[in-house]
Amino acid sequence: MTGRTTRADRLAHPTTRDAIRAVAENHGACLHPIQLRRINTDTGQTDQVLIPCGATLASKCPPCAERAKVLRAAQCAEGWHLETEPIADPPPPDEVQAMWVEHRAQAQAMRDHAEAAGQDTAELDELIAELDQEIASSGLRGKADPARSRPRRHRSTRRRQDASDLPKRRISPRTIGKTYATKDGKTFRPSMFLTLTCPSYGRVGEDGIPADPDSYNYQRAARDALHFAALFDRFTQNLRRVLGYEVQYFATIEPQRRLAPHVHVAMRGTISRAELRQIIAATYHQVWWPSTNTVRFDGEYQPIWYEARGGYLDPATGELLPTWDEALDAIGDDDEPWHVVRFGSKFDAHGVLAGSKDSTRCIGYLTKYLTKQLGECHQPGTDAQREHVERLADALRYEPCSPTCANWLRYGIQPKNSRPGLVPGACQGKAHRYDHLGYAGRRVLVSRKWSGKTLADHRGDRQAWLTEMLGLPATDPARYRWEQVEPHDKDYLPSGRRLLRSVADRLQWENALNEARRRAQEALAAEVSANGRAA
Ligand SMILES: [Zn+2]
Ligand SMILES: [Zn+2]
């Protein structure tokens, strides 16, 4: 033994920094805590408080992402099998509210008369704005005239979606599914777990790789992914129309192995497979966008921004390109929609009972990939898989992702809200990014009356539980002022020290919680034995 170690030996030891991260992860301590200053406004005492970063992606902060996922699972579980309506019908307006609404109606009538008579409406508009404020502060939600001060585009509404041939029922305001009775008189109220997929773009193998990449319809796959959220929205509308009540759902969007999005849905109430098949077949979303069949600008030849006229022009002719509105107006009566999105005919549906193992399993399934971006869910392991990812990314590169997408310039159209610096193929929209696979919408779609609570309410529930469990006194928010500590502040903790503090805070919580649990168990045991002696 010489006591000498080689570079390789030394590098084989973990660094202290890595070890701290690993310990933090094991204990669920945030890796990037945010430092706040809590100032007691009575005494002036200042404490440094670290709060978790709250990331939802494991690539940013695994412990916070895990907590976010658990919270989503709790939200899902709470609404799925509800037996009573989560949101009570709001009461009728009180006297004060009714009074403001009456004033508002009269002011509107006066304003409309004045306008019709060609008089100045400025003063009445001011009065209306004040009345709207009174209405809001009286506790009413929403606006008396939502269209006010939002000038609408004067274009025909001809581009409506064609109506689907589904039975139409009046939608009753209930959100709870039906109950069923067994022969021996037990009743139960099943819910459902659904999975809806995109159609086929060409045959794929087990590994999600197209059997023939050249004939696989990457363009259709890209467009379907871009408009998948709108399609799901249509589906829920149709579901409600067919079932005749305000069906509630907790849905998550995930990629299949072939990298097409699919949606898992926890739905309150049930639907027969036959009805579901009918709804899926009749559900589609038409996208009425200008044609992208002809590439007008490519390579070096690109439209240029002309500041004086506030638009892009063709450098060859000096003519301004049609604006977004002009391009929309040019869509003719005989034109087809730019794209129609539909679901594939394959779907999965089964009933789930409250409190069953299956219910827990499905919730695990629903939330499984929420800590990952869509593109991270199935890491390509083979060359063929990498090529599949590349081909899809290529297809997404020049597809317009939205009316404001820079790619419209490629097809000779100024995007909506045009501004200088737009480059086709370099749109900043999320949909084009590798890790989004064309889907830029929200990953979790929850209907409004799912649990009657927002995610923040659910988080509050957990905090309240913890505070009670630990027997902490409720802190009076009025007594404290909070400030974020900035890197240039004297009391700013460098990241290494913040991470250590984050671990220490977490350990302290864990110990306190374990202690509280132990005491609760002892109390229970004492009660049981006392009852035993009394009997
Ligand atoms: Zn974090
Ligand atoms: Zn775009």
Side-chain angles (χ1 to χ4, degrees), residues 28-34 51-57 60-65 67 502:
C30 173
L31 300 189
H32 310 288
I34 296 161
I51 60 162
C53 71
T56 55
L57 292 174
K60 296 202 175 119
C61 180
C64 284
R67 261 192 297 280
S502 176

Side-chain angles (χ1 to χ4, degrees), residues 275-351:
E275 278 177 312
L276 186 59
R277 188 172 293 116
Q278 197 191 358
I279 296 173
I280 288 171
T283 296
Y284 55 85
H285 173 69
Q286 296 173 323
V287 186
W288 287 99
W289 278 356
S291 167
T292 52
N293 288 342
T294 316
V295 175
R296 264 192 68 188
F297 298 94
D298 196 19
E300 294 288 285
Y301 178 42
Q302 291 293 342
I304 49 173
W305 176 257
Y306 184 45
E307 185 65 44
R309 294 180 65 188
Y312 283 89
L313 52 76
D314 182 339
T317 64
E319 272 174 47
L320 273 183
L321 301 181
T323 63
W324 175 251
D325 282 354
E326 284 163 356
L328 278 190
D329 287 339
I331 300 174
D333 283 338
D334 302 327
D335 286 327
E336 298 282 308
W338 178 78
H339 185 61
V340 181
V341 213
R342 291 175 183 281
F343 288 113
S345 54
K346 274 191 195 156
F347 68 90
D348 189 64
H350 71 265

Side-chain angles (χ1 to χ4, degrees), residues 449-464:
K449 297 180 184 171
W450 177 252
S451 61
K453 292 177 186 172
T454 63
L455 207 53
D457 296 336
H458 285 287
R459 197 177 292 122
D461 283 355
R462 298 176 78 79
Q463 270 160 6

Side-chain angles (χ1 to χ4, degrees), residues 435-502:
D435 47 6
H436 283 261
L437 303 175
Y439 178 81
R442 279 174 299 153
R443 291 286 296 285
V444 184
L445 306 163
V446 192
S447 60
R448 217 165 52 81
K449 297 180 184 171
W450 177 252
S451 61
K453 292 177 186 172
T454 63
L455 207 53
D457 296 336
H458 285 287
R459 197 177 292 122
D461 283 355
R462 298 176 78 79
Q463 270 160 6
W465 173 83
L466 200 63
T467 317
E468 199 192 316
M469 187 81 187
L470 296 176
L472 295 173
T475 45
D476 177 7
R479 267 180 57 199
Y480 294 102
R481 191 157 49 87
W482 295 81
E483 286 171 359
Q484 178 151 1
V485 184
E486 305 288 348
H488 53 76
D489 291 341
K490 271 209 297 277
D491 51 357
Y492 182 75
L493 294 171
S495 70
R497 216 175 307 162
R498 242 181 304 148
L499 186 56
L500 284 170
R501 270 282 306 269
S502 176

Side-chain angles (χ1 to χ4, degrees), residues 5-199:
T5 56
T6 64
R7 183 187 179 83
D9 291 335
R10 287 190 297 276
L11 285 179
H13 286 281
T15 67
T16 311
R17 173 100 182 144
D18 286 344
I20 297 171
R21 273 180 74 103
V23 170
E25 280 191 42
N26 279 339
H27 289 280
C30 173
L31 300 189
H32 310 288
I34 296 161
Q35 188 185 351
L36 296 180
R37 221 178 271 128
R38 188 182 64 179
I39 302 146
N40 185 323
T41 47
D42 290 348
T43 63
Q45 191 194 325
T46 300
D47 294 311
Q48 300 294 336
V49 178
L50 294 179
I51 60 162
C53 71
T56 55
L57 292 174
S59 56
K60 296 202 175 119
C61 180
C64 284
E66 187 59 30
R67 261 192 297 280
K69 179 170 128 176
V70 169
L71 191 64
R72 284 297 193 179
Q75 183 188 29
C76 181
E78 202 161 319
W80 205 359
H81 310 288
L82 280 190
E83 307 241 335
T84 53
E85 292 294 344
I87 296 174
D89 286 336
D94 62 27
E95 264 170 52
V96 176
Q97 289 166 336
M99 177 196 74
W100 288 123
V101 170
E102 282 167 19
H103 283 317
R104 176 70 175 78
Q106 284 161 345
Q108 186 70 47
M110 273 151 59
R111 187 215 172 270
D112 291 348
H113 275 301
E115 190 184 43
Q119 293 160 0
D120 181 25
T121 60
E123 245 171 68
L124 286 165
D125 281 329
E126 216 170 282
L127 173 67
I128 284 174
E130 277 170 27
L131 287 170
D132 278 344
Q133 275 186 359
E134 291 295 348
I135 287 175
S137 53
S138 77
L140 291 175
R141 289 182 302 127
K143 296 211 163 75
D145 179 12
R148 201 176 100 84
S149 76
R150 196 166 10 106
R152 291 186 81 98
R153 222 179 128 242
H154 288 291
R155 196 172 67 86
S156 78
T157 49
R158 185 173 48 81
R159 296 287 162 217
R160 65 183 184 278
Q161 299 275 327
D162 296 344
S164 57
D165 50 354
L166 283 171
K168 249 190 226 174
R169 288 189 202 150
R170 256 201 55 191
I171 300 176
S172 82
R174 79 188 159 86
T175 76
I176 306 286
K178 273 192 288 195
T179 54
Y180 295 83
T182 55
K183 281 191 192 119
D184 52 354
K186 271 192 203 153
T187 60
F188 60 102
R189 196 191 301 272
S191 294
M192 285 200 94
F193 181 71
L194 317 174
T195 301
L196 311 179
T197 59
C198 285

